[in-house]
Amino acid sequence: MEILALNLDKVVQHETLLTDVWGPEYRDDIEYLRVAIARIRRKMKEKLTNKEEYIVTYPGLGYMLKSIQVVES
């Protein structure tokens, strides 16, 4: 999540996430990443009142964390 947050609104490639989180020997093990992203999404849905997806999947490329719009009342 930290890597996605540091690259807010930018697509981070699968290989970059896998290498930075699990190490270079895992750079091709995309299933690790899919499971981790699914868990993060589930936790976000539990905590957020709106059900918007903030982690966008770019098939064959990577993931992007979208910035959250803050609405003041």
Side-chain angles (χ1 to χ4, degrees), residues 24-71:
E25 63 274 13
Y26 292 94
R27 72 182 296 268
D28 296 320
D29 293 330
I30 295 177
E31 192 58 31
Y32 282 104
L33 190 54
R34 288 185 181 138
V35 170
I37 294 294
R39 289 178 179 164
I40 292 169
R41 283 180 171 147
R42 190 174 331 120
K43 288 180 182 182
M44 288 177 77
K45 282 186 179 183
E46 290 171 3
K47 301 289 182 189
L48 297 173
T49 55
N50 63 2
K51 300 301 177 191
E52 186 175 344
E53 289 289 336
Y54 290 103
I55 299 176
V56 180
T57 302
Y58 287 86
L61 186 59
Y63 295 94
M64 178 182 74
L65 180 64
K66 295 188 320 184
S67 55
I68 298 173
Q69 293 287 347
V70 177
V71 178

